[in-house]
PDB file of all heavy atoms in Angstrom:
ATOM      1  N   ASN T  15       5.102  -4.772 -14.854  1.00  0.00           N
ATOM      2  CA  ASN T  15       4.553  -3.555 -14.250  1.00  0.00           C
ATOM      3  C   ASN T  15       3.426  -3.855 -13.259  1.00  0.00           C
ATOM      4  O   ASN T  15       2.703  -2.953 -12.862  1.00  0.00           O
ATOM      5  CB  ASN T  15       4.044  -2.604 -15.332  1.00  0.00           C
ATOM      6  CG  ASN T  15       5.177  -1.995 -16.115  1.00  0.00           C
ATOM      7  OD1 ASN T  15       6.261  -1.764 -15.575  1.00  0.00           O
ATOM      8  ND2 ASN T  15       4.952  -1.739 -17.384  1.00  0.00           N
ATOM      9  N   CYS T  16       3.272  -5.124 -12.883  1.00  0.00           N
ATOM     10  CA  CYS T  16       2.236  -5.527 -11.936  1.00  0.00           C
ATOM     11  C   CYS T  16       2.885  -5.934 -10.615  1.00  0.00           C
ATOM     12  O   CYS T  16       3.922  -6.584 -10.603  1.00  0.00           O
ATOM     13  CB  CYS T  16       1.437  -6.700 -12.486  1.00  0.00           C
ATOM     14  SG  CYS T  16       0.576  -6.322 -14.014  1.00  0.00           S
ATOM     15  N   ALA T  17       2.241  -5.559  -9.534  1.00  0.00           N
ATOM     16  CA  ALA T  17       2.763  -5.883  -8.207  1.00  0.00           C
ATOM     17  C   ALA T  17       1.887  -6.934  -7.535  1.00  0.00           C
ATOM     18  O   ALA T  17       0.671  -6.967  -7.741  1.00  0.00           O
ATOM     19  CB  ALA T  17       2.823  -4.634  -7.344  1.00  0.00           C
ATOM     20  N   GLN T  18       2.535  -7.767  -6.728  1.00  0.00           N
ATOM     21  CA  GLN T  18       1.834  -8.772  -5.950  1.00  0.00           C
ATOM     22  C   GLN T  18       2.260  -8.649  -4.496  1.00  0.00           C
ATOM     23  O   GLN T  18       3.421  -8.354  -4.206  1.00  0.00           O
ATOM     24  CB  GLN T  18       2.195 -10.179  -6.439  1.00  0.00           C
ATOM     25  CG  GLN T  18       1.788 -10.461  -7.850  1.00  0.00           C
ATOM     26  CD  GLN T  18       2.279 -11.834  -8.304  1.00  0.00           C
ATOM     27  OE1 GLN T  18       3.394 -12.231  -7.980  1.00  0.00           O
ATOM     28  NE2 GLN T  18       1.437 -12.535  -9.032  1.00  0.00           N
ATOM     29  N   LEU T  19       1.313  -8.891  -3.602  1.00  0.00           N
ATOM     30  CA  LEU T  19       1.603  -8.954  -2.176  1.00  0.00           C
ATOM     31  C   LEU T  19       1.725 -10.430  -1.817  1.00  0.00           C
ATOM     32  O   LEU T  19       0.786 -11.199  -2.025  1.00  0.00           O
ATOM     33  CB  LEU T  19       0.492  -8.285  -1.367  1.00  0.00           C
ATOM     34  CG  LEU T  19       0.705  -8.216   0.134  1.00  0.00           C
ATOM     35  CD1 LEU T  19       1.921  -7.332   0.467  1.00  0.00           C
ATOM     36  CD2 LEU T  19      -0.534  -7.687   0.826  1.00  0.00           C
ATOM     37  N   LEU T  20       2.902 -10.823  -1.322  1.00  0.00           N
ATOM     38  CA  LEU T  20       3.193 -12.224  -1.030  1.00  0.00           C
ATOM     39  C   LEU T  20       3.669 -12.385   0.401  1.00  0.00           C
ATOM     40  O   LEU T  20       4.085 -11.419   1.040  1.00  0.00           O
ATOM     41  CB  LEU T  20       4.310 -12.740  -1.956  1.00  0.00           C
ATOM     42  CG  LEU T  20       4.082 -12.666  -3.449  1.00  0.00           C
ATOM     43  CD1 LEU T  20       5.372 -12.982  -4.184  1.00  0.00           C
ATOM     44  CD2 LEU T  20       2.999 -13.624  -3.871  1.00  0.00           C
ATOM     45  N   THR T  21       3.639 -13.616   0.859  1.00  0.00           N
ATOM     46  CA  THR T  21       4.284 -13.995   2.103  1.00  0.00           C
ATOM     47  C   THR T  21       4.980 -15.324   1.857  1.00  0.00           C
ATOM     48  O   THR T  21       4.686 -16.010   0.867  1.00  0.00           O
ATOM     49  CB  THR T  21       3.281 -14.097   3.276  1.00  0.00           C
ATOM     50  OG1 THR T  21       4.011 -14.196   4.489  1.00  0.00           O
ATOM     51  CG2 THR T  21       2.342 -15.262   3.117  1.00  0.00           C
ATOM     52  N   THR T  22       5.900 -15.672   2.718  1.00  0.00           N
ATOM     53  CA  THR T  22       6.603 -16.950   2.602  1.00  0.00           C
ATOM     54  C   THR T  22       6.087 -17.888   3.677  1.00  0.00           C
ATOM     55  O   THR T  22       6.022 -17.529   4.854  1.00  0.00           O
ATOM     56  CB  THR T  22       8.120 -16.750   2.764  1.00  0.00           C
ATOM     57  OG1 THR T  22       8.566 -15.819   1.771  1.00  0.00           O
ATOM     58  CG2 THR T  22       8.861 -18.060   2.587  1.00  0.00           C
ATOM     59  N   ILE T  23       5.687 -19.092   3.241  1.00  0.00           N
ATOM     60  CA  ILE T  23       5.238 -20.126   4.168  1.00  0.00           C
ATOM     61  C   ILE T  23       6.150 -21.340   3.978  1.00  0.00           C
ATOM     62  O   ILE T  23       6.824 -21.461   2.959  1.00  0.00           O
ATOM     63  CB  ILE T  23       3.759 -20.506   3.950  1.00  0.00           C
ATOM     64  CG1 ILE T  23       3.537 -21.022   2.529  1.00  0.00           C
ATOM     65  CG2 ILE T  23       2.848 -19.336   4.244  1.00  0.00           C
ATOM     66  CD1 ILE T  23       2.162 -21.618   2.293  1.00  0.00           C
ATOM     67  N   THR T  24       6.156 -22.223   4.941  1.00  0.00           N
ATOM     68  CA  THR T  24       6.960 -23.434   4.847  1.00  0.00           C
ATOM     69  C   THR T  24       6.040 -24.617   4.608  1.00  0.00           C
ATOM     70  O   THR T  24       5.095 -24.849   5.372  1.00  0.00           O
ATOM     71  CB  THR T  24       7.782 -23.643   6.124  1.00  0.00           C
ATOM     72  OG1 THR T  24       8.572 -22.481   6.346  1.00  0.00           O
ATOM     73  CG2 THR T  24       8.681 -24.857   6.002  1.00  0.00           C
ATOM     74  N   VAL T  25       6.320 -25.371   3.539  1.00  0.00           N
ATOM     75  CA  VAL T  25       5.558 -26.568   3.206  1.00  0.00           C
ATOM     76  C   VAL T  25       6.557 -27.711   3.071  1.00  0.00           C
ATOM     77  O   VAL T  25       7.484 -27.636   2.256  1.00  0.00           O
ATOM     78  CB  VAL T  25       4.775 -26.383   1.882  1.00  0.00           C
ATOM     79  CG1 VAL T  25       4.054 -27.669   1.505  1.00  0.00           C
ATOM     80  CG2 VAL T  25       3.811 -25.225   1.986  1.00  0.00           C
ATOM     81  N   ASP T  26       6.386 -28.738   3.872  1.00  0.00           N
ATOM     82  CA  ASP T  26       7.299 -29.888   3.874  1.00  0.00           C
ATOM     83  C   ASP T  26       8.750 -29.452   4.057  1.00  0.00           C
ATOM     84  O   ASP T  26       9.655 -29.956   3.400  1.00  0.00           O
ATOM     85  CB  ASP T  26       7.162 -30.701   2.582  1.00  0.00           C
ATOM     86  CG  ASP T  26       5.782 -31.323   2.431  1.00  0.00           C
ATOM     87  OD1 ASP T  26       5.176 -31.648   3.474  1.00  0.00           O
ATOM     88  OD2 ASP T  26       5.311 -31.472   1.290  1.00  0.00           O
ATOM     89  N   GLY T  27       8.958 -28.470   4.921  1.00  0.00           N
ATOM     90  CA  GLY T  27      10.302 -28.008   5.216  1.00  0.00           C
ATOM     91  C   GLY T  27      10.919 -27.098   4.165  1.00  0.00           C
ATOM     92  O   GLY T  27      12.076 -26.705   4.286  1.00  0.00           O
ATOM     93  N   ARG T  28      10.144 -26.734   3.151  1.00  0.00           N
ATOM     94  CA  ARG T  28      10.674 -25.873   2.084  1.00  0.00           C
ATOM     95  C   ARG T  28       9.874 -24.568   2.021  1.00  0.00           C
ATOM     96  O   ARG T  28       8.648 -24.580   2.134  1.00  0.00           O
ATOM     97  CB  ARG T  28      10.576 -26.580   0.734  1.00  0.00           C
ATOM     98  CG  ARG T  28      11.383 -27.889   0.736  1.00  0.00           C
ATOM     99  CD  ARG T  28      11.412 -28.520  -0.596  1.00  0.00           C
ATOM    100  NE  ARG T  28      12.139 -27.627  -1.498  1.00  0.00           N
ATOM    101  CZ  ARG T  28      12.301 -27.867  -2.778  1.00  0.00           C
ATOM    102  NH1 ARG T  28      11.781 -28.943  -3.317  1.00  0.00           N
ATOM    103  NH2 ARG T  28      12.971 -27.028  -3.537  1.00  0.00           N
ATOM    104  N   PRO T  29      10.566 -23.458   1.823  1.00  0.00           N
ATOM    105  CA  PRO T  29       9.855 -22.176   1.738  1.00  0.00           C
ATOM    106  C   PRO T  29       9.088 -22.064   0.416  1.00  0.00           C
ATOM    107  O   PRO T  29       9.570 -22.461  -0.632  1.00  0.00           O
ATOM    108  CB  PRO T  29      10.975 -21.140   1.820  1.00  0.00           C
ATOM    109  CG  PRO T  29      12.197 -21.854   1.364  1.00  0.00           C
ATOM    110  CD  PRO T  29      12.016 -23.292   1.717  1.00  0.00           C
ATOM    111  N   ARG T  30       7.886 -21.533   0.524  1.00  0.00           N
ATOM    112  CA  ARG T  30       7.027 -21.313  -0.651  1.00  0.00           C
ATOM    113  C   ARG T  30       6.413 -19.920  -0.540  1.00  0.00           C
ATOM    114  O   ARG T  30       6.065 -19.482   0.551  1.00  0.00           O
ATOM    115  CB  ARG T  30       5.892 -22.335  -0.709  1.00  0.00           C
ATOM    116  CG  ARG T  30       6.334 -23.750  -0.802  1.00  0.00           C
ATOM    117  CD  ARG T  30       6.576 -24.114  -2.250  1.00  0.00           C
ATOM    118  NE  ARG T  30       6.792 -25.543  -2.347  1.00  0.00           N
ATOM    119  CZ  ARG T  30       7.933 -26.067  -2.775  1.00  0.00           C
ATOM    120  NH1 ARG T  30       8.913 -25.294  -3.124  1.00  0.00           N
ATOM    121  NH2 ARG T  30       8.069 -27.362  -2.856  1.00  0.00           N
ATOM    122  N   HIS T  31       6.243 -19.272  -1.682  1.00  0.00           N
ATOM    123  CA  HIS T  31       5.550 -17.986  -1.695  1.00  0.00           C
ATOM    124  C   HIS T  31       4.055 -18.224  -1.793  1.00  0.00           C
ATOM    125  O   HIS T  31       3.606 -19.090  -2.534  1.00  0.00           O
ATOM    126  CB  HIS T  31       6.003 -17.127  -2.868  1.00  0.00           C
ATOM    127  CG  HIS T  31       7.389 -16.609  -2.701  1.00  0.00           C
ATOM    128  ND1 HIS T  31       8.202 -16.319  -3.752  1.00  0.00           N
ATOM    129  CD2 HIS T  31       8.119 -16.330  -1.608  1.00  0.00           C
ATOM    130  CE1 HIS T  31       9.354 -15.882  -3.321  1.00  0.00           C
ATOM    131  NE2 HIS T  31       9.331 -15.894  -2.001  1.00  0.00           N
ATOM    132  N   ARG T  32       3.301 -17.435  -1.032  1.00  0.00           N
ATOM    133  CA  ARG T  32       1.838 -17.506  -1.090  1.00  0.00           C
ATOM    134  C   ARG T  32       1.311 -16.132  -1.470  1.00  0.00           C
ATOM    135  O   ARG T  32       1.637 -15.128  -0.815  1.00  0.00           O
ATOM    136  CB  ARG T  32       1.270 -17.922   0.255  1.00  0.00           C
ATOM    137  CG  ARG T  32      -0.245 -17.958   0.220  1.00  0.00           C
ATOM    138  CD  ARG T  32      -0.788 -18.842   1.261  1.00  0.00           C
ATOM    139  NE  ARG T  32      -2.227 -18.950   1.053  1.00  0.00           N
ATOM    140  CZ  ARG T  32      -3.054 -19.333   1.977  1.00  0.00           C
ATOM    141  NH1 ARG T  32      -2.599 -19.656   3.163  1.00  0.00           N
ATOM    142  NH2 ARG T  32      -4.337 -19.405   1.729  1.00  0.00           N
TER     143      ARG T  32
END
Side-chain angles (χ1 to χ4, degrees):
N15 289 328
C16 298
Q18 297 175 320
L19 183 64
L20 302 170
T21 192
T22 302
I23 59 171
T24 304
V25 177
D26 296 329
R28 300 186 65 183
R30 300 274 189 243
H31 289 152
R32 178 157 187 200

